[in-house]
Amino acid sequence: MDHKHLLTLFRACISARYTHLEGGASYAVKHDNHTVTILFEKSNGALDWRNNLRFSARPYRDMKEVWYCHRGFLSVFRQVLSKLEELLLDKSIEHFVLVGYSHGAALALLTHEYILFHRPELVGKVEGYGFGCPRVIAGALPDSLRARLYGFTVIRNIDDLVTHLPPRLFGYRHPAKPYLIGRRGKYSRINAHRAEAYDEELSLLAARDTITFT
């Protein structure tokens, strides 16, 4: 894993100037030739997604393989989609980089899936990074969904409580094992989720990567 790259993406996500939507989503878009980077901000407190812990929904009306996701995140994602759908389906865009933190990480995951559901020719050309990402998928993970979410990385500061929510008890899961950073017991479960903690742990890893031994 390129930790310097992760640190750069995380800091870009934290410092971006966002467009804010009434539904609780905030996003920013950066263009670089045929590559588009979309950043999703953490929740600003206007949307309490935890209220929907016990409920899940189908993301599409007609599904050959049925799967479910967190209803609250899906509702916010649909608000984002109303603004970004044309961009996501633009055939001139050949590469997407999706980055989100906390609540925004869930939106990045759903965007990742949406692009590859509608544009399977972009397999291998969509990168997704969810820092402090909550669980989004509910129930079984069909092979087709697993394939569309390949390339999406959940980054977990090891004691981060949010990455363990909603609980497995309610059937929620990550699409793959999270990439672990940090050291167990260094932070409280709440503090491990803070942006400062992620920045510190990614900075430490990036610094170690640059050390050369003679």
Side-chain angles (χ1 to χ4, degrees), residues 107-174:
L107 302 182
L109 183 151
L110 290 172
T111 304
H112 191 286
E113 190 281 332
Y114 182 88
I115 293 171
L116 290 176
F117 181 84
H118 291 88
R119 301 185 61 190
E121 75 277 8
L122 291 185
V123 169
K125 298 180 180 180
V126 180
E127 301 175 48
Y129 302 91
F131 297 93
C133 187
R135 295 183 176 123
V136 180
I137 308 302
L141 191 70
D143 289 342
S144 59
L145 175 61
R146 191 185 303 274
R148 289 194 298 276
L149 289 175
Y150 179 80
F152 186 89
T153 302
V154 173
I155 299 96
R156 168 190 283 168
N157 191 13
I158 195 164
D159 285 331
D160 183 350
L161 175 63
V162 170
T163 62
H164 294 277
L165 297 175
R168 288 182 180 174
L169 176 65
F170 297 154
Y172 288 91
R173 66 177 69 215
H174 289 297

Side-chain angles (χ1 to χ4, degrees), residues 20-26 41-51 102-104:
H20 302 283
L21 303 179
E22 291 184 1
S26 301
E41 191 180 27
K42 66 176 182 178
S43 172
N44 59 13
L47 178 71
D48 188 359
W49 52 266
R50 291 167 297 177
N51 288 336
S102 190
H103 161 90

Side-chain angles (χ1 to χ4, degrees), residues 16-19 26-30 37-41:
R17 296 181 63 180
Y18 286 97
T19 297
S26 301
Y27 68 91
V29 178
K30 298 182 178 181
T37 299
I38 306 177
L39 308 168
F40 297 95
E41 191 180 27

